[in-house]
Amino acid sequence: MAARKTTAKPRPKKCQDCQGTGEITETVRVGARKGRPTDHRQSVLCMTCWGTGTAS
């Protein structure tokens, strides 16, 4: 019998914006008109990969 060859599936490339996590951090802004930035940060969904972490 011939030996079976197993081929590994290629891994998808990571998203450049979120480094494959699917989330990025943004500065919190307050105020209706000027939107002053604060020292606080929040986690948001990466809009480049829509949270999957893979490059499109």
Side-chain angles (χ1 to χ4, degrees):
M1 292 189 96
R4 285 189 185 176
K5 291 184 180 180
T6 59
T7 57
K9 293 181 181 178
R11 292 186 181 196
K13 293 183 181 181
K14 291 183 179 180
C15 174
Q16 294 295 320
D17 292 343
C18 65
Q19 283 78 37
T21 62
E23 292 183 345
I24 56 174
T25 56
E26 299 246 336
T27 302
V28 176
R29 295 183 175 272
V30 295
R33 286 191 214 156
K34 296 183 181 179
R36 295 182 314 270
T38 64
D39 293 335
H40 299 91
R41 308 284 282 169
Q42 66 181 358
S43 252
V44 295
L45 185 71
C46 178
M47 296 303 290
T48 305
C49 66
W50 290 93
T52 62
T54 58
S56 54

